Amino acid sequence: MDGSIKKKLEKRNERIINAVIKKANSICPESIALIGVYGSFYTGDIHDKSDLDLCIVINDDEGWKLSSCFILDDVAFDIYCTPWDVLEDMAEYKNPYITKLLDLNVLYIKEKKFLIRYDELKLKAIKRLKEKKRFVYSCAEHSILPQKAETSEKAVRSFQSQNSIAQRHKTSFLLLIFFYL
């Protein structure tokens, strides 16, 4: 990506983040806990129409006032808030959007205690994923498709095909788990 476009996007993102903080300080000053970036700007996989994925952690229901949607430079933005209980569900692996917890560049914290709480939840999620990895790996090591009584050539090819598909799914799942460890 062209360096000037990247700088333009970074300035745009900084303006959006500052606007969120300013709005929070004026309409719900105790609601915002922290703000972090995830998604393409976290991974560096950006292009000229990349939006900004923010995780705005809120302490109370007043924080929902920060949510908004808008279009800027032909890019749609959704400003969503995330309450602590959603992050707690992520830490227990009850919520599929765990990247907000694992892959987050924290840019703003209202108080240090909020960063400590976030870090504790992140560590809990990592520990939980490692436990799941051990379980999944054990299951994958010992899993085979059920044997069929039928031994015709067609049945054997069918079994091999099913086993191949199962192996691909198992490999994809294991790679996903290992990626987060």
Side-chain angles (χ1 to χ4, degrees):
M1 165 174 284
D2 181 281
S4 64
I5 294 173
K6 185 176 180 180
K7 285 213 180 282
K8 179 183 173 189
L9 294 174
E10 288 171 348
K11 281 186 175 249
R12 178 202 67 191
N13 292 350
E14 188 177 334
R15 286 193 324 263
I16 292 169
I17 293 166
N18 288 337
V20 169
I21 294 168
K22 183 177 179 180
K23 184 177 179 181
N25 286 332
S26 69
I27 65 170
C28 53
E30 299 305 314
S31 296
I32 194 168
L34 61 86
I35 299 175
V37 173
Y38 67 101
S40 61
F41 278 94
Y42 175 84
T43 63
D45 187 26
I46 57 175
H47 55 84
D48 61 335
K49 298 295 181 187
S50 290
D51 69 339
L52 177 63
D53 298 306
L54 291 178
C55 179
I56 303 168
V57 181
I58 56 173
N59 295 318
D60 55 41
D61 287 341
E62 287 293 305
W64 291 110
K65 294 177 182 176
L66 298 172
S67 297
S68 68
C69 298
F70 58 91
I71 296 174
L72 181 63
D73 298 327
D74 295 326
V75 178
F77 292 87
D78 301 309
I79 306 297
Y80 294 122
C81 296
T82 304
W84 283 106
D85 63 325
V86 171
L87 291 179
E88 289 165 1
D89 283 349
M90 289 176 193
E92 291 290 328
Y93 209 71
K94 296 176 185 174
N95 182 312
Y97 301 107
I98 196 166
T99 58
K100 280 187 180 181
L101 193 55
L102 296 179
D103 300 332
L104 189 70
N105 181 18
V106 177
L107 302 174
Y108 170 85
I109 54 169
K110 181 79 172 181
E111 296 176 36
K112 187 173 178 149
K113 68 181 180 180
F114 299 130
L115 183 59
I116 292 169
R117 184 175 179 187
Y118 166 80
D119 286 339
E120 288 171 351
L121 290 172
K122 182 176 181 175
L123 288 173
K124 185 176 183 179
I126 290 168
K127 180 181 176 191
R128 183 85 170 150
L129 279 173
K130 285 182 180 179
E131 290 168 0
K132 284 193 173 289
K133 177 192 118 183
R134 281 193 296 272
F135 173 75
V136 169
Y137 185 75
S138 175
C139 289
E141 281 286 299
H142 299 96
S143 71
I144 57 170
L145 292 174
Q147 294 291 335
K148 299 188 185 249
E150 200 178 313
T151 57
S152 70
E153 185 178 334
K154 182 179 176 184
V156 170
R157 278 198 314 270
S158 174
F159 177 78
Q160 288 170 338
S161 174
Q162 291 172 13
N163 196 33
S164 175
I165 291 168
Q167 290 296 326
R168 282 197 305 271
H169 287 292
K170 178 173 69 174
T171 302
S172 297
F173 187 70
L174 288 173
L175 287 173
L176 177 66
I177 295 295
F178 288 129
F179 177 75
Y180 282 105
L181 299 178

